[in-house]
Amino acid sequence: MNRWWVTGILLLCFEERILAQLRYTVPEEVQVGSTVGNVAKDLGLDTSTLSDRRFRIVSGPNHALFELNQNNGVLYVGKIMDREELCDGTKVCLINLKIVVENPLEIHYVGVEIMDVNDHSPTFPENEQRLEIAEHAPTGTRFQIHAARDPDIGTHSVRLYKLHPTDFFDTEVRDSEGDKIPFLVLKKPLDREQKARHRLVLTAIDGGSPSKSGTLNLTITVLDANDNRPVFSSDTYSVSLDENVPIGTLVIQLNATDLDEGLNSEIEYTFGKTQKKKVQETFELDTVTGEIRVKGYVDFEDTEIYRLDLQASDKGQLPWTAESRVVIKIKDVNDNKPEIEVTSLSNVVLEDSKSGTVISLISVTDRDSGVNGKVICKILGNVPFDLTPSIEENMYSLVTKGRLDRETVSQYDITITANDCGEPSLSSVKNLRVQVSDVNDNRPIFSQNPFELYLVENNAPGASIFSVTAVDHDLNENAALTYHIVRGDGSRGDMASFLNVNSENGQISALKSFDFETLKTFQFHVVASDSGTPSLSSNVTVDVFILDQNDNAPVILYPVSSNGSAEGVEEIPRNVNAGYVVTKVRAYDADIGYNGWLLFSLQEVTEHSLFTLDRYTGQIKTLRPFTETDEAEHKLVILVKDNGNVSLSATATVIVKVVEPKEAFAASDVKSSTKADEDTNVTFYLMITLGSVSALFLISIIVLIAMQCSKTTEYTSKYLPETNYDGTLCHSIQYRSGDKRYMLVGPRMSIGSTIVPGSHANTLVLPDRRGTSGEVRPCFHFDFPT
């Protein structure tokens, strides 16, 4: 009684989980805690991992009958089981259990068959049954008596009937739809005058070991008269009836006849005394016509077959009774919708999950039978999920079937439909919501690359100068960005060392003030990294262009005295004509554009009628010849200013001393055009002057040719101290001022800048061949900013 065994093990691999089916047997009434079987051992599972893998029984009907030990994998009885209560009238009492383990997911089906034990004795519906038999009843006449009922099945049910030994009666058993119906058979004619009452004992014995029994007391009264008994047209009637038929539907009309006349032939129909209560609640019998009609709700899923025991009795003084049975088989109709049960392992799935990852377990049931209970399950819509069938009928797994992308679709509403194959088909719908969780699969993205930053020079150190922002389409820490600047080797040209970035918001600040005149452009790189694991990053290039400000005042290059002040002395002959070039004020501005475009003006002069100043070139010329009354020394204060929004300026002082011609020729260079003296007394001096000019002209031509060949940048003149200025002549602009043509040349500038007259560019003064005098005075001045 306490032994059981594994009746079958079936192991199959399906997708990413292992499905197994086990079957055990256990007798009913076994004690709580009795072992059914070691499920983990029979499935080949590691018992040390059962707890971590959540080895458990999934909720279901009758799951509380058994319990599962997570430490050793043993399945044991959880409560006392009564087979007759669980599976009344069923030949095989099978309890199905679903057992699940996770990581990886496995679902196993375990069937436990409850074996019947002989725990019930046969019982009769009454302790005593009374029969009335006419004395002239022929031998061999059969009289139905109460059948004993035993809730046990198989060999444990009623197997035979025994009658206490008597000379007049014997027993006969007839099998009807699995039941054994006893009949009392008359062996010898009765004689009421000899014995009016017979008392018998009928014993019902089951097939158990040891067997159990029950008894029925029979009291037989011998009657006179009424020679014929009613006769049914059939001992057993069989009829089919659809479930859910309306109340009042005719099932069958019985037909019994009696050869007697009068009251002895009038028949009355009744249910047998052993008829179950449920039959009388479902059907009604017309006692006169014998019609059986539907009285209550007929449900195939509740009862598939009804057995009605009926009697027909005449109304004679000593009535005769005949027995018959009506077997009503209920036909199934498609009246139950499929039921969908979802066992969700998780409603969240990683977006990088592999195809075939199990999300949920789906079981579908339909109480109907045959094709009415055959169910087709599918998913509506175009979603990256699929239903894969299990080895167990109407069991499915909801799995992924394609790549998921949370940034495209973050959640899916899955609609599962179950349609049976009945006519018409019935269906059910189940909705599931699956969230797609984020993984770090997106790099930060900058809005553009590269960025261009135009920064005005002289920025405040530590102030924000720019901001870079990247976006990451992931979530939470996968989208939390930090910024840093790519540092170089710390060399002098590495500007990244003078920059700092706020790691949280990308605000970039400069740690130093930039000077356009020192640095015009540089480049650095910013990296944005997310906080995912592993971290993903992107970088962006920032091209910085420093914009000029008017922060440099003009610098006087000539005149410059020995002590460094902008002051010089020029000596000119008294006999010079109008237009004589006294000197040229040279200046430069380190700024560019309008900020470096210089204009010259006379701030102070002793005699306005004597001198003029070219505002663009800084040349000082005479306006008229000197007279005897003019002063011998004149002071000119020249203002040099740039064209910035806030103009900056510098001043230079030129002292012009007027000397006699002899002194002038000995002390100064030839700087102005001379005019032939019309007076014949100065012919000698004119010849000397012409000779000197011719010699200087030849020297100048030679020097010019040598300069063009050697490209030297070292020049010395009276008007410029011997200081070397290096530069590249890469731009030139020509313009005219008065009777001179000027060419402005300057160092290479940044893209977008311009060279304008008056800037600090190098100046080349070209001779004008259209002068009124015959003197040719080419002067070449190259100014290079330091």
Side-chain angles (χ1 to χ4, degrees):
M1 296 296 292
N2 294 324
R3 291 184 301 166
W4 48 88
W5 58 91
V6 178
T7 61
I9 299 177
L10 176 63
L11 296 176
L12 292 176
C13 289
F14 188 78
E15 292 292 339
E16 292 184 348
R17 62 198 184 284
I18 299 176
L19 301 178
Q21 187 165 1
L22 302 177
R23 188 160 176 173
Y24 301 94
T25 58
V26 61
E28 63 175 330
E29 307 293 344
V30 72
Q31 294 298 318
V32 174
S34 298
T35 300
V36 178
N38 193 322
V39 177
K41 179 180 178 182
D42 294 335
L43 293 175
L45 300 177
D46 186 358
T47 57
S48 63
T49 64
L50 295 181
S51 179
D52 294 336
R53 296 183 65 188
R54 298 186 63 198
F55 186 60
R56 68 191 186 279
I57 299 176
V58 179
S59 298
N62 299 321
H63 72 281
L65 296 176
F66 302 93
E67 295 186 9
L68 198 60
N69 191 319
Q70 288 192 346
N71 295 323
N72 55 22
V74 172
L75 180 68
Y76 59 92
V77 176
K79 60 185 294 187
I80 299 294
M81 295 175 292
D82 184 359
R83 185 190 183 285
E84 287 69 33
E85 180 181 350
L86 295 173
C87 309
D88 185 22
T90 305
K91 291 184 178 180
V92 178
C93 184
L94 185 64
I95 305 299
N96 291 312
L97 303 175
K98 283 192 296 185
I99 296 179
V100 173
V101 289
E102 299 179 2
N103 300 320
L105 173 66
E106 299 179 23
I107 178 170
H108 307 279
Y109 299 94
V110 177
V112 182
E113 182 179 355
I114 310 301
M115 304 300 294
D116 183 53
V117 297
N118 193 22
D119 58 343
H120 293 87
S121 298
T123 58
F124 289 90
E126 297 177 350
N127 292 329
E128 182 179 2
Q129 182 178 359
R130 295 178 179 273
L131 295 175
E132 295 178 341
I133 303 176
E135 60 178 333
H136 56 272
T139 59
T141 302
R142 297 183 306 169
F143 304 92
Q144 183 176 342
I145 55 181
H146 295 334
R149 302 188 64 83
D150 192 334
D152 297 323
I153 64 170
T155 58
H156 296 156
S157 65
V158 176
R159 306 306 297 168
L160 58 91
Y161 292 89
K162 288 185 178 181
L163 186 65
H164 186 75
T166 177
D167 295 333
F168 293 93
F169 298 97
D170 199 357
T171 57
E172 180 179 313
V173 178
R174 184 182 68 193
D175 289 327
S176 176
E177 297 294 326
D179 292 336
K180 294 185 178 297
I181 308 300
F183 289 87
L184 190 64
V185 181
L186 183 62
K187 295 194 303 181
K188 182 178 179 181
L190 299 176
D191 186 354
R192 178 181 176 279
E193 287 68 29
Q194 290 185 1
K195 191 174 184 179
R197 183 173 283 106
H198 297 265
R199 299 186 184 276
L200 307 175
V201 176
L202 181 66
T203 302
I205 303 173
D206 63 22
S209 180
S211 62
K212 294 185 177 184
S213 62
T215 60
L216 174 65
N217 295 318
L218 295 174
T219 301
I220 300 172
T221 303
V222 182
L223 302 176
D224 285 332
N226 203 4
D227 297 328
N228 295 286
R229 59 180 300 200
V231 178
F232 280 100
S233 58
S234 176
D235 289 339
T236 301
Y237 297 91
S238 182
V239 64
S240 295
L241 181 67
D242 290 338
E243 66 173 328
N244 303 327
V245 294
I247 293 176
T249 299
L250 177 64
V251 180
I252 192 174
Q253 185 172 6
L254 302 177
N255 183 24
T257 59
D258 193 318
L259 298 178
D260 294 323
E261 294 182 353
L263 292 177
N264 292 332
S265 65
E266 292 183 11
I267 298 175
E268 184 179 26
Y269 300 93
T270 59
F271 284 116
K273 292 183 179 180
T274 62
Q275 191 62 64
K276 292 183 178 180
K277 182 179 180 181
K278 184 173 181 60
V279 172
Q280 297 182 6
E281 291 175 348
T282 308
F283 301 98
E284 61 182 359
L285 173 64
D286 190 313
T287 60
V288 177
T289 64
E291 291 180 344
I292 299 177
R293 294 182 179 273
V294 176
K295 177 183 178 181
Y297 179 63
V298 179
D299 186 6
F300 172 84
E301 287 72 37
D302 183 30
T303 305
E304 298 182 17
I305 188 169
Y306 291 90
R307 298 176 179 87
L308 285 64
D309 293 324
L310 303 170
Q311 291 181 346
S313 303
D314 60 27
K315 295 182 179 180
Q317 187 66 30
L318 299 174
W320 287 84
T321 301
E323 292 81 17
S324 183
R325 169 171 283 200
V326 176
V327 177
I328 303 175
K329 296 180 179 179
I330 307 302
K331 293 191 299 184
D332 183 43
V333 297
N334 194 25
D335 61 339
N336 290 282
K337 292 183 178 180
E339 296 180 359
I340 304 173
E341 178 188 356
V342 177
T343 303
S344 293
L345 302 180
S346 175
N347 62 346
V348 178
V349 58
L350 291 173
E351 62 177 319
D352 63 347
S353 297
K354 295 181 180 178
S355 180
T357 299
V358 179
I359 307 300
S360 298
L361 303 177
I362 311 296
S363 61
V364 183
T365 58
D366 194 317
R367 296 182 62 198
D368 296 320
S369 61
V371 294
N372 295 331
K374 183 67 176 178
V375 180
I376 299 174
C377 200
K378 62 182 180 180
I379 295 178
L380 295 181
N382 185 20
V383 293
F385 298 92
D386 198 5
L387 289 177
T388 57
S390 169
I391 60 171
E392 186 82 4
E393 187 177 9
N394 292 336
M395 284 292 299
Y396 301 87
S397 295
L398 178 64
V399 300
T400 58
K401 71 172 182 179
R403 181 181 180 274
L404 303 178
D405 185 8
R406 188 207 62 81
E407 289 70 39
T408 303
V409 181
S410 61
Q411 72 177 23
Y412 289 92
D413 291 318
I414 303 173
T415 301
I416 300 174
T417 63
N419 297 271
D420 61 29
C421 298
E423 186 61 40
S425 177
L426 300 179
S427 63
S428 296
V429 177
K430 190 76 172 182
N431 294 314
L432 298 178
R433 175 165 290 182
V434 177
Q435 301 285 342
V436 182
S437 62
D438 185 52
V439 297
N440 193 25
D441 58 347
N442 288 279
R443 294 180 180 276
I445 300 174
F446 289 94
S447 60
Q448 67 183 74
N449 192 359
F451 284 103
E452 291 186 353
L453 169 60
Y454 294 90
L455 177 64
V456 178
E457 65 174 331
N458 301 322
N459 55 292
S464 176
I465 61 172
F466 193 55
S467 176
V468 294
T469 304
V471 295
D472 194 314
H473 296 300
D474 293 321
L475 284 179
N476 303 326
E477 67 274 3
N478 294 333
L481 302 182
T482 57
Y483 302 88
H484 71 273
I485 294 176
V486 178
R487 306 294 182 183
D489 54 3
S491 60
R492 181 178 181 183
D494 180 21
M495 291 296 104
S497 59
F498 298 102
L499 300 173
N500 189 30
V501 63
N502 187 310
S503 61
E504 296 180 357
N505 57 26
Q507 286 285 344
I508 299 173
S509 57
L511 304 179
K512 62 170 289 186
S513 178
F514 294 104
D515 182 12
F516 171 82
E517 288 71 36
T518 303
L519 178 68
K520 293 179 173 55
T521 181
F522 65 91
Q523 185 183 85
F524 66 94
H525 304 280
V526 179
V527 176
S529 303
D530 60 32
S531 301
T533 303
S535 178
L536 300 178
S537 62
S538 296
N539 59 57
V540 66
T541 300
V542 181
D543 293 319
V544 182
F545 300 94
I546 308 300
L547 300 180
D548 184 46
Q549 276 189 325
N550 192 25
D551 59 343
N552 290 279
V555 177
I556 306 298
L557 297 178
Y558 181 82
V560 177
S561 64
S562 59
N563 60 4
S565 62
E567 184 175 338
V569 178
E570 295 291 335
E571 293 182 352
I572 63 173
R574 182 178 289 276
N575 59 349
V576 297
N577 295 327
Y580 178 82
V581 177
V582 177
T583 188
K584 179 180 180 180
V585 177
R586 293 174 177 80
Y588 85 97
D589 194 314
D591 297 318
I592 66 168
Y594 283 97
N595 296 329
W597 184 7
L598 303 181
L599 296 177
F600 301 83
S601 63
L602 282 173
Q603 186 76 8
E604 181 182 339
V605 62
T606 54
E607 181 60 52
H608 289 282
S609 63
L610 276 176
F611 302 98
T612 182
L613 175 66
D614 191 301
R615 65 177 303 181
Y616 297 112
T617 65
Q619 279 188 340
I620 301 174
K621 298 181 181 179
T622 58
L623 288 174
R624 61 177 176 80
F626 289 94
T627 63
E628 295 296 333
T629 59
D630 290 328
E631 296 290 335
E633 183 175 310
H634 300 272
K635 179 180 180 182
L636 285 73
V637 178
I638 295 90
L639 176 66
V640 183
K641 66 177 182 178
D642 57 32
N643 280 270
N645 287 333
V646 178
S647 180
L648 301 177
S649 62
T651 59
T653 302
V654 177
I655 305 298
V656 180
K657 293 183 178 180
V658 181
V659 298
E660 293 303 322
K662 292 182 180 180
E663 299 176 1
F665 286 131
S668 64
D669 297 328
V670 178
K671 296 183 296 180
S672 64
S673 300
T674 59
K675 185 178 180 182
D677 192 351
E678 296 179 355
D679 191 348
T680 58
N681 295 327
V682 293
T683 301
F684 176 75
Y685 300 105
L686 180 59
M687 293 177 63
I688 295 175
T689 302
L690 289 175
S692 302
V693 170
S694 298
L696 289 174
F697 177 74
L698 292 175
I699 294 173
S700 300
I701 294 299
I702 294 172
V703 171
L704 178 60
I705 293 173
M707 289 170 57
Q708 293 298 321
C709 294
S710 62
K711 302 294 183 181
T712 181
T713 58
E714 298 180 359
Y715 302 94
T716 303
S717 75
K718 170 185 176 181
Y719 306 105
L720 182 65
E722 294 185 359
T723 305
N724 295 333
Y725 301 96
D726 296 330
T728 302
L729 303 180
C730 60
H731 295 285
S732 67
I733 297 177
Q734 296 186 27
Y735 69 98
R736 181 179 299 279
S737 177
D739 59 348
K740 300 293 183 179
R741 287 189 301 122
Y742 296 88
M743 176 181 291
L744 302 181
V745 294
R748 181 176 289 109
M749 299 183 181
S750 62
I751 298 174
S753 62
T754 59
I755 300 178
V756 296
S759 70
H760 63 79
N762 305 314
T763 303
L764 175 63
V765 182
L766 300 179
D768 192 337
R769 299 179 181 274
R770 298 179 299 173
T772 55
S773 65
E775 183 182 12
V776 179
R777 302 178 63 251
C779 298
F780 301 92
H781 303 285
F782 293 86
D783 302 330
F784 295 85
T786 58

